[in-house]
Amino acid sequence: MIQKTFGILNGPNLDRLGVREPSVYGSATLSDVEDALRGTARELDVGVAFFQSNHEGELLDKIVAWADAGISGIVLNPGALAHTSVALRDCVAGCGLPVVEVHISNVYRREEFRHHSFTAAVCAGVVSGLGTEGYSLALRFLAGRARS
Ligand code: DQA
């Protein structure tokens, strides 16, 4: 059987994990997070592809490219674009893939402007506040769903 592959997509400022506000986002870097996800993917016998950008359009282009390439689902941390981007929301809605939104922090315990997510409403679900483990939990969900 051909192995299913999932995209792990990180938006603005997530390249600064480990340095950026560690009291909110923890001390793991993005490359630590990606290493942990490679381990989860091995365990689940799926492939993972990674992409991070600080540029909205590049994220949209990657979602469409992954969809065209036949990827099976996306774990998406949109960063602040969750709270601002109708374009990202429309792209997620139109890509035809299951997408799980991840926030490392619990956005509902933070400033009010973080309580609304444009993207969440078009995702299969949201993981928020479980730290960087949220990425692996989202990948497990998507892999399980793709198997059933
Ligand atoms: C975040 C939460 C967002 O509100 C914030 O803008 C981020 C990170 C998180 O992972 O907790 O950049 O998506």
Side-chain angles (χ1 to χ4, degrees):
M1 199 181 73
I2 298 169
Q3 199 188 39
K4 295 201 186 297
T5 298
F6 296 89
I8 314 293
L9 188 59
N10 277 287
N13 298 310
L14 290 154
D15 54 333
R16 304 264 305 143
L17 279 181
V19 179
R20 170 195 188 203
E21 299 181 85
S23 60
V24 178
Y25 299 113
S27 56
T29 64
L30 185 56
S31 109
D32 294 336
V33 172
E34 291 179 352
D35 283 346
L37 281 162
R38 279 188 198 95
T40 305
R42 260 195 304 278
E43 192 194 305
L44 296 169
D45 194 25
V46 299
V48 269
F50 300 103
F51 187 72
Q52 186 278 332
S53 178
N54 293 323
H55 304 277
E56 185 177 30
E58 287 187 359
L59 297 169
L60 271 56
D61 290 346
K62 182 54 79 175
I63 290 171
V64 171
W66 275 343
D68 288 350
I71 213 157
S72 297
I74 297 175
V75 175
L76 169 66
N77 186 342
L81 291 175
H83 318 304
T84 62
S85 178
V86 175
L88 184 57
R89 179 244 178 250
D90 285 352
C91 188
V92 169
C95 73
L97 296 172
V99 178
V100 175
E101 179 163 323
V102 170
H103 296 286
I104 297 164
S105 64
N106 181 349
V107 289
Y108 302 102
R109 291 180 70 171
R110 301 183 63 195
E111 303 94 327
E112 208 165 317
F113 65 83
R114 297 184 203 276
H115 297 182
H116 177 258
S117 166
F118 283 102
T119 39
V122 292
C123 286
V126 180
V127 181
S128 180
L130 303 187
T132 52
E133 200 188 330
Y135 290 93
S136 289
L137 294 169
L139 179 60
R140 280 180 200 285
F141 169 80
L142 287 171
R145 177 183 156 143
R147 258 192 288 276
S148 59

